[in-house]
Amino acid sequence: MSGGLKVLALQKDDVTKMLAAGTHLGAGNVTFQMLSYVFKKRNDVCSIDVKKTWEILLLAARVIASIENPADDCVISSRNYGQWAVLKFALLSGVSVFVGCFSSGSVSVRSGATI
């Protein structure tokens, strides 16, 4: 995924920061779609593969960098623990933001449009 560029390769410092932040810890309840990302499972905690997490972060960064007009996009979080991250990302990137509860269809259905 890094395309062979050294600057995008996973470094020891990056791994240390990810482990300190707890990005490698997951819930014990894992679906079959997530099994390829699980490194180990002990008791009710799964250890997520840090290398695969890094690859997904690179993919997300490339998608975000490819957006020509950030005002056309939005980020959404209805969960309490995701709202601060969404607000901070919107502030830094210039995208629209939806936090808290919102009505179904308020994002995907434009006003005045018929289904």
Side-chain angles (χ1 to χ4, degrees):
M1 178 71 67
S2 62
L5 300 173
K6 282 190 173 184
V7 72
L8 297 178
L10 183 61
Q11 303 293 324
K12 185 177 180 180
D13 186 45
D14 298 324
V15 173
T16 305
K17 289 177 183 176
M18 290 172 74
L19 293 175
T23 59
H24 67 291
L25 299 176
N29 190 11
V30 179
T31 63
F32 72 94
Q33 291 100 341
M34 287 296 297
L35 283 177
S36 63
Y37 297 100
V38 174
F39 181 69
K40 282 186 180 178
K41 187 173 181 179
R42 291 187 186 166
N43 301 331
D44 284 341
V45 177
C46 289
S47 295
I48 307 297
D49 191 353
V50 175
K51 192 171 185 177
K52 289 187 180 183
T53 303
W54 182 257
E55 298 295 327
I56 296 298
L57 283 172
L58 284 180
L59 177 64
R62 288 179 177 184
V63 168
I64 292 169
S66 70
I67 297 171
E68 292 180 17
N69 186 8
D72 291 341
D73 293 321
C74 68
V75 290
I76 300 171
S77 177
S78 60
R79 305 274 181 168
N80 291 336
Y81 51 81
Q83 291 179 6
W84 176 251
V86 166
L87 288 170
K88 188 72 167 185
F89 177 77
L91 177 71
L92 295 174
S93 64
V95 300
S96 303
V97 63
F98 286 101
V99 294
C101 296
F102 55 91
S103 302
S104 299
S106 64
V107 177
S108 60
V109 179
R110 296 177 185 227
S111 61
T114 57
I115 299 176

